[in-house]
Protein backbone atom coordinates (compact mmCIF):
# COMPACT_ATOMS: atom_id res chain seq x y z
CA UNK A 1 0.00 0.00 0.00
CA UNK A 2 1.22 3.49 -0.89
CA UNK A 3 -0.19 6.72 0.49
CA UNK A 4 0.17 9.93 -1.50
CA UNK A 5 -0.27 13.47 -0.19
CA UNK A 6 -0.20 16.46 -2.54
CA UNK A 7 0.60 20.04 -1.64
CA UNK A 8 1.42 23.33 -3.34
CA UNK A 9 -1.75 24.20 -5.21
CA UNK A 10 -3.25 27.65 -5.20
CA UNK A 11 -4.42 30.66 -7.17
CA UNK A 12 -1.94 32.30 -9.54
CA UNK A 13 -2.03 34.60 -12.53
CA UNK A 14 -1.35 33.62 -16.11
CA UNK A 15 2.40 33.44 -16.72
CA UNK A 16 3.22 32.62 -13.11
CA UNK A 17 4.89 29.48 -11.81
CA UNK A 18 3.82 26.97 -9.21
CA UNK A 19 5.43 23.86 -7.75
CA UNK A 20 3.39 20.91 -6.61
CA UNK A 21 4.78 18.30 -4.27
CA UNK A 22 3.68 14.74 -3.64
CA UNK A 23 4.94 12.88 -0.61
CA UNK A 24 4.71 9.11 -0.82
CA UNK A 25 4.77 6.67 2.06
CA UNK A 26 4.62 2.95 2.05
CA UNK A 27 6.60 -0.09 1.14
CA UNK A 28 9.00 0.24 -1.79
CA UNK A 29 7.47 3.52 -2.96
CA UNK A 30 10.84 4.46 -4.44
CA UNK A 31 10.40 1.76 -7.09
CA UNK A 32 7.11 3.12 -8.38
CA UNK A 33 6.44 5.11 -11.51
CA UNK A 34 4.91 8.41 -10.46
CA UNK A 35 2.51 10.55 -12.39
CA UNK A 36 0.52 13.75 -12.14
CA UNK A 37 -2.95 13.90 -13.59
CA UNK A 38 -5.38 16.78 -13.78
CA UNK A 39 -9.11 17.07 -14.14
CA UNK A 40 -10.93 20.23 -15.06
CA UNK A 41 -14.71 20.60 -14.58
CA UNK A 42 -16.58 18.70 -17.26
CA UNK A 43 -13.43 17.12 -18.66
CA UNK A 44 -11.79 13.74 -18.35
CA UNK A 45 -8.77 13.19 -16.16
CA UNK A 46 -5.58 13.49 -18.17
CA UNK A 47 -1.97 12.58 -17.54
CA UNK A 48 0.26 15.66 -17.56
CA UNK A 49 3.59 14.23 -16.39
CA UNK A 50 5.16 10.88 -15.61
CA UNK A 51 8.53 9.85 -14.25
CA UNK A 52 10.09 6.43 -13.92
CA UNK A 53 11.55 5.02 -10.73
CA UNK A 54 15.06 6.05 -11.77
CA UNK A 55 14.08 9.68 -12.35
CA UNK A 56 15.35 9.57 -15.91
CA UNK A 57 12.43 8.40 -18.01
CA UNK A 58 9.80 11.11 -18.29
CA UNK A 59 6.72 11.78 -20.37
CA UNK A 60 4.76 14.98 -21.01
CA UNK A 61 1.88 15.56 -23.40
CA UNK A 62 2.23 18.37 -25.91
CA UNK A 63 -0.12 20.56 -23.89
CA UNK A 64 2.48 21.00 -21.11
CA UNK A 65 5.77 20.01 -22.76
CA UNK A 66 8.39 22.69 -22.22
CA UNK A 67 6.42 24.26 -19.37
CA UNK A 68 6.09 21.45 -16.81
CA UNK A 69 8.96 19.50 -15.30
CA UNK A 70 8.58 16.47 -13.08
CA UNK A 71 11.39 15.36 -10.80
CA UNK A 72 11.74 13.00 -7.88
CA UNK A 73 13.84 12.69 -4.77
CA UNK A 74 13.73 9.04 -3.74
CA UNK A 75 15.62 9.79 -0.52
CA UNK A 76 12.66 11.95 0.51
CA UNK A 77 10.01 9.83 -1.25
CA UNK A 78 8.78 12.98 -2.90
CA UNK A 79 8.07 14.06 -6.46
CA UNK A 80 7.89 17.66 -7.60
CA UNK A 81 5.93 19.10 -10.49
CA UNK A 82 7.33 22.46 -11.52
CA UNK A 83 4.80 24.35 -13.62
CA UNK A 84 5.95 27.45 -15.47
CA UNK A 85 4.20 29.87 -17.81
CA UNK A 86 0.84 28.79 -16.47
CA UNK A 87 -2.24 29.36 -18.57
CA UNK A 88 -5.92 29.63 -17.59
CA UNK A 89 -6.49 26.28 -19.31
CA UNK A 90 -4.17 24.68 -16.76
CA UNK A 91 -6.84 25.28 -14.14
CA UNK A 92 -7.82 21.91 -12.67
CA UNK A 93 -7.55 19.63 -9.71
CA UNK A 94 -4.15 17.98 -9.87
CA UNK A 95 -3.72 14.43 -8.62
CA UNK A 96 -0.58 12.55 -7.77
CA UNK A 97 -0.57 8.88 -8.67
CA UNK A 98 1.69 5.84 -8.54
CA UNK A 99 1.97 2.43 -10.09
CA UNK A 100 4.25 -0.43 -9.22
CA UNK A 101 6.68 -2.24 -11.55
CA UNK A 102 4.10 -4.91 -12.37
CA UNK A 103 1.10 -2.61 -12.71
CA UNK A 104 -0.09 -1.56 -16.14
CA UNK A 105 -2.33 1.14 -14.70
CA UNK A 106 -2.01 3.69 -11.94
CA UNK A 107 -3.49 2.25 -8.78
CA UNK A 108 -2.58 4.68 -5.99
CA UNK A 109 -4.04 8.17 -5.87
CA UNK A 110 -3.78 11.25 -3.73
CA UNK A 111 -6.77 13.39 -2.84
CA UNK A 112 -5.83 16.17 -5.24
CA UNK A 113 -4.87 19.82 -5.00
CA UNK A 114 -6.60 22.71 -6.76
CA UNK A 115 -4.66 24.87 -9.20
CA UNK A 116 -6.43 27.96 -10.48
CA UNK A 117 -4.86 30.24 -13.08
CA UNK A 118 -6.53 33.59 -13.62
CA UNK A 119 -6.22 35.53 -16.86
Amino acid sequence: QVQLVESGGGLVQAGDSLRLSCAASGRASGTYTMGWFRQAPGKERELVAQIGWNGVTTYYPNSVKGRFTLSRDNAKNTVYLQMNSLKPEDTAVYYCSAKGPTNSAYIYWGRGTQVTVSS
Side-chain angles (χ1 to χ4, degrees), residues 28-43:
S29 58
T31 65
Y32 283 57
T33 294
M34 303 295 295
W36 280 93
F37 290 74
R38 69 184 181 188
Q39 188 166 22
K43 295 187 177 181

Side-chain angles (χ1 to χ4, degrees), residues 30-101:
T31 65
Y32 283 57
T33 294
M34 303 295 295
W36 280 93
F37 290 74
R38 69 184 181 188
Q39 188 166 22
K43 295 187 177 181
E44 294 186 354
R45 188 173 295 189
E46 63 170 335
L47 177 66
V48 296
Q50 176 175 287
I51 190 166
W53 68 271
N54 58 5
V56 175
T57 305
T58 57
Y59 163 79
Y60 307 94
N62 288 335
S63 58
V64 306
K65 192 174 295 183
R67 300 189 298 120
F68 289 14
T69 303
L70 182 57
S71 60
R72 69 189 296 162
D73 184 340
N74 284 343
K76 296 182 179 180
N77 288 332
T78 301
V79 294
Y80 305 96
L81 182 65
Q82 179 67 43
M83 305 185 295
N84 299 327
S85 302
L86 283 163
K87 305 175 181 180
E89 50 263 42
D90 294 319
T91 295
V93 178
Y94 284 71
Y95 298 90
C96 179
S97 187
K99 59 179 177 178

Side-chain angles (χ1 to χ4, degrees), residues 4-8 21-23 36 94-97 109-113:
L4 304 173
V5 179
E6 305 101 333
S7 62
S21 299
C22 174
W36 280 93
Y94 284 71
Y95 298 90
C96 179
S97 187
W109 295 88
R111 299 182 66 177
T113 185

